């Protein structure tokens, strides 16, 4: 009777208070799971996409990745878990024990106790095929899916790190990050595409705007076009794997080339891609700075060198192998009277009065440059086509998504 009374009391206790259960599984990213040191069978939960699946007689092997790591986590399960829903590309949630892997290929593996398919994937219809190395051209058709491949996910990781590093450099150097307008009424460099913007119901006046574009023997030959007083500078730059030549020297090199160019090199014309490639090859495939371009080729704000008979401005472009122009920059014209006269000749004085104000009210000598970020990624990654370093590239006849 006493025993029955205590048993009844115990049952009532369980009905009013939670009975002891298994400790809930801790949710881990694939990266954190792979970094686990000396795993001792703790229960964890991992979510991700199936990157590979292999079924044996008694064991099922899955590789799951959630995008947090280039490496996937191996999941080991009993063959009873195998089903049609567990397919390449499906998203899953796996719960189980994180243990040390007996294989030398990975440090840990997840011994599955429960596998739940979150999103089915028809492997036959899925554009990305298992164990197939798709060309980058093919993957451009699927910008929304290509980040699931190792190549594109790696490129995006480098892109992210490069962005952070550049911002960090300028922040540590005391610069302030601001957002300049993408749409502006000023076509400063003459390279924008103009179109009309009209607002519904004529709430505002239509205005013309411009969209800023995301825009060893050979060494001896280079000596030939450097003035004697610049020889020390050239030697210094060569030792540091850089070379500086003027626009005038570059044109002379191109004129003496045995190669036939589509665009005939002449002083006063802009350097084309074919010219840049030749100059890089000619100078030993090292980065080349080209300075002092003709005034007529450059925007109005670049500083006049006041030289003659050839009229140049203090501009510089950096050419790098495999890409061509990477940087473009110049000293800015800080002298009010010089800038005013130039804008007046161009008929732009009224439109750019704000620019003159910057010179009239406490200007200082200064300069600036712009870097093609995607070209920079091409340079450090060796990617041939710029479309493959942009998450969602836009090009002629293609605006997917």
């Amino acid at each position: 009777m006493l025993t029955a009374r205590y048993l009844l009391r115990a049952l009532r206790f369980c009905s009013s208070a939670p009975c002891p259960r298994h400790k809930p599984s801790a949710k881990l990213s694939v990266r954190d799971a792979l970094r686990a040191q000396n795993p001792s069978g703790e229960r964890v939960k991992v979510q991700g996409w199936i990157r590979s699946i292999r079924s044996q007689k008694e064991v099922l092997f899955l590789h799951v990745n959630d995008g947090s790591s280039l490496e996937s986590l191996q999941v080991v399960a009993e063959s009873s878990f195998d089903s049609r829903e567990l397919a390449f590309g499906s998203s899953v949630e796996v719960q189980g024990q994180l243990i040390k892997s007996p294989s030398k290929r990975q440090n840990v593996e997840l011994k599955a106790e429960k596998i739940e398919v979150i999103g089915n994937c028809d492997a036959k219809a899925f554009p990305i095929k298992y164990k197939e190395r798709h060309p980058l051209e093919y993957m451009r058709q699927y910008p929304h899916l290509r980040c699931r491949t190792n190549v594109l996910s790696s490129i995006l990781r480098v892109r992210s790190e490069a962005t952070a590093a550049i911002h960090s450099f300028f922040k540590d150097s005391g610069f302030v990050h601001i957002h300049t307008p993408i749409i502006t009424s000023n076509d400063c460099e003459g390279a924008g595409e103009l179109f009309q913007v009209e607002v519904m119901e004529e709430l505002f006046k239509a205005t013309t705007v411009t969209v800023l574009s995301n825009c060893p023997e050979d060494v001896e030959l280079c000596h030939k076009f450097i003035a004697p007083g610049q020889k020390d500078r050239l030697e210094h730059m060569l030792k540091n794997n850089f070379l500086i030549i003027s626009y005038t020297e570059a044109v002379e090199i191109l004129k003496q080339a045995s190669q036939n160019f589509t665009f005939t090199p002449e002083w006063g014309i802009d350097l084309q891609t074919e010219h840049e490639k030749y100059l890089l090859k000619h100078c030993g495939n090292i980065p080349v700075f080209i300075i002092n371009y003709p005034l007529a080729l450059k925007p109005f704000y670049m500083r006049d060198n006041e030289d003659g008979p050839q009229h140049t401005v203090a501009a510089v472009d950096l050419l790098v192998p495999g890409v061509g122009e990477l940087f473009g920059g110049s000293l800015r014209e800080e002298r009010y009277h010089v800038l005013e006269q130039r804008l007046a000749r161009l008929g732009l004085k009224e439109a750019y009065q704000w620019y003159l104000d910057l010179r009239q009210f406490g200007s200082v000598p200064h300069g600036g440059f712009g870097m093609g970020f995607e070209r920079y990624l091409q340079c450090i990654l060796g990617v041939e086509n710029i479309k493959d370093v942009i998450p969602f590239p836009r090009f002629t006849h293609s605006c997917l998504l």
Side-chain angles (χ1 to χ4, degrees), residues 2 24 27 30 36 46 97 115 118 133 160 189 199 243 245 267 269 316 324 327 329 340 357 378 380:
L2 187 63
K27 184 180 176 181
V30 167
V46 172
Q97 292 178 291
I115 302 178
I118 305 299
R133 295 178 66 90
S160 176
E189 298 189 19
V199 182
L243 181 65
I245 60 176
W267 201 98
I269 69 163
V316 59
F327 282 89
E340 182 185 34
D357 288 349
Q378 280 185 272
I380 63 176

Side-chain angles (χ1 to χ4, degrees), residues 17-44:
C19 291
R21 296 181 180 178
H22 286 303
K23 185 179 178 180
S25 302
K27 184 180 176 181
L28 289 182
S29 67
V30 167
R31 179 181 60 186
D32 290 340
L34 291 170
R35 288 178 176 178
Q37 299 294 324
N38 302 318
S40 55
E42 59 268 30
R43 283 185 168 78
V44 301

Side-chain angles (χ1 to χ4, degrees), residues 186-197:
N186 299 305
D187 187 15
C188 301
E189 298 189 19
E193 296 295 331
L194 298 175
F195 63 94
Q196 288 291 121
V197 173

